[in-house]
Amino acid sequence: MLLYTPAYDPYHCSFRILSILIEIYPAPLEKEKLSILDAYLAIPALLNELKCPQSLIRKRNKVRPKPSPYNQYYDAQKLFEKISRIQDSVLRNLASINLISLEKLHDNIVLLNIEKIEDTLQEAIDSTHSIKPDIFEFLTHDLSTIDLLGPTGLKKRSGLMEYRYDLS
């Protein structure tokens, strides 16, 4: 039986990553933070495990999906590992066609080259924001402002990545 999951589709991943980068432009984004945001956009059910700051709990509860007995992800870290390999490949590809800065990517920073985004791509991205506007806004305007590292950082709060050995 063949199943399609957008989370593992490199083209869908490219589209999600560009959507996030366009929304937060001109700010650069740490590669690891972008990976976490993209994982939440690809699989919103992961938001159920997110330990939000007190100020964001109400917003998170509003956008997170209700748990489904048919869509159980038993190991979020392994799921994230699979997605992150695809994300790495997509980021290298986006850098090779100059949609993001290759120099910054070497420093684990993702910076969009907005002048390289064609109007048709911009229109397609704008039209998809209406599909999940609450989740997208929560990720790009609220969650993206949380520091990546430290005892209250996004890596620790998400539980998707190792954080204990990071220097904060």
Side-chain angles (χ1 to χ4, degrees):
M1 184 159 135
L2 182 63
L3 296 175
Y4 171 75
T5 303
Y8 303 132
D9 182 348
Y11 296 106
H12 197 270
C13 183
S14 299
F15 197 77
R16 292 189 315 262
I17 285 175
L18 288 173
S19 296
I20 293 168
L21 292 173
I22 285 172
E23 188 66 24
I24 64 156
Y25 183 80
L29 201 57
E30 296 104 327
K31 182 181 164 200
E32 292 174 322
K33 186 183 283 188
L34 177 61
S35 292
I36 292 170
L37 296 177
D38 176 60
Y40 285 135
L41 188 57
I43 305 172
L46 293 175
L47 287 170
N48 292 323
E49 306 298 320
L50 176 66
K51 294 173 180 72
C52 273
Q54 192 68 32
S55 61
L56 296 179
I57 288 176
R58 184 170 280 167
K59 284 185 180 182
R60 193 257 341 249
N61 290 344
K62 184 179 161 188
V63 301
R64 72 181 180 179
K66 292 178 177 42
S68 167
Y70 304 106
N71 243 354
Q72 294 287 334
Y73 299 105
Y74 296 103
D75 193 343
Q77 284 184 330
K78 287 189 188 225
L79 180 67
F80 181 76
E81 282 178 32
K82 279 178 85 172
I83 293 173
S84 65
R85 283 187 237 125
I86 295 164
Q87 292 167 339
D88 289 342
S89 173
V90 163
L91 288 172
R92 285 191 303 273
N93 185 42
L94 292 175
S96 74
I97 58 175
N98 205 24
L99 287 177
I100 61 173
S101 169
L102 180 61
E103 295 80 29
K104 294 283 186 184
L105 188 59
H106 289 306
D107 297 330
N108 290 323
I109 300 291
V110 182
L111 180 63
L112 181 68
N113 291 330
I114 195 74
E115 64 278 355
K116 300 292 183 180
I117 302 294
E118 295 181 13
D119 292 337
T120 54
L121 178 59
Q122 180 69 51
E123 290 168 8
I125 288 172
D126 290 342
S127 70
T128 59
H129 287 193
S130 62
I131 296 171
K132 297 180 185 176
D134 295 337
I135 291 176
F136 192 76
E137 184 176 328
F138 174 72
L139 295 175
T140 57
H141 295 286
D142 298 316
L143 214 55
S144 68
T145 61
I146 297 174
D147 289 333
L148 181 64
L149 305 175
T152 59
L154 192 56
K155 285 174 80 172
K156 182 175 181 178
R157 288 181 181 281
S158 71
L160 297 174
M161 303 175 92
E162 179 59 53
Y163 61 87
R164 292 176 292 186
Y165 306 108
D166 290 338
L167 299 173
S168 49

